[in-house]
Amino acid sequence: MELIPVKDTAKAPAARFTGDVYLTMIKTPEPPSRLVASLVRFTPGARTNWHSHANGQTLHVTEGVGYVANREGQVIRMRAGDTVWTPPGEEHWHGGTDSTVMCHIAMLEATEDSDGTTWLEPVTDEQYATAHTG
Ligand code: MN
């Protein structure tokens, strides 16, 4: 077995996120394992761009309150202790609410050559606001 010491925390890239988001890697794949896990901290108003994961994604909320939403208009309000599964290929975004932080552990299974995430356009302010009205 192996201790993996705590990794540095990085500001998430503006090309893929809106607002202030901080990423701390937990695990990168070591074949035959394909597990990718990271701790993601969203400040109020911050969220991912629209994106999808080739092998799906499991989100486990460790602190705060936030949202996951998909193209079909489904919005899940999630809070500490909750887990949300997004299936392979489903376009979605996740983030905090406009007034609360949200921290989650994101877990996914990589493909042969990448983490399997396809990044798309930013979530507009209108789309983000709509999630709060459901
Ligand atoms: Mn995702």
Side-chain angles (χ1 to χ4, degrees), residues 51 53 57 92 94:
H51 63 280
H53 307 284
Q57 182 179 53
H92 66 279
H94 22 118

Side-chain angles (χ1 to χ4, degrees), residues 10 15 22 28 39 47 53 62 75 83 86 95 106 109 112 119 129:
Y22 296 90
T28 52
L39 175 61
R47 66 268 188 181
H53 307 284
T62 59
V75 177
T83 300
T86 58
E109 290 159 274
E112 290 297 322
W119 289 98

Side-chain angles (χ1 to χ4, degrees), residues 2 53 64 89 105 108 118:
E2 175 188 359
H53 307 284
I105 295 173
L108 54 76
T118 300

Side-chain angles (χ1 to χ4, degrees), residues 48-49 51-53 57 59 68 86 90 92-94 104 106 108 117 119:
T48 67
N49 280 14
H51 63 280
S52 63
H53 307 284
Q57 182 179 53
L59 301 174
V68 187
T86 58
E90 182 177 81
H92 66 279
W93 59 265
H94 22 118
H104 65 47
L108 54 76
T117 301
W119 289 98

Side-chain angles (χ1 to χ4, degrees), residues 60-66 78-83 102-103:
H60 180 77
V61 182
T62 59
E63 184 179 348
V65 184
M78 57 184 184
R79 47 194 280 265
D82 290 340
T83 300
M102 189 274 288
C103 306

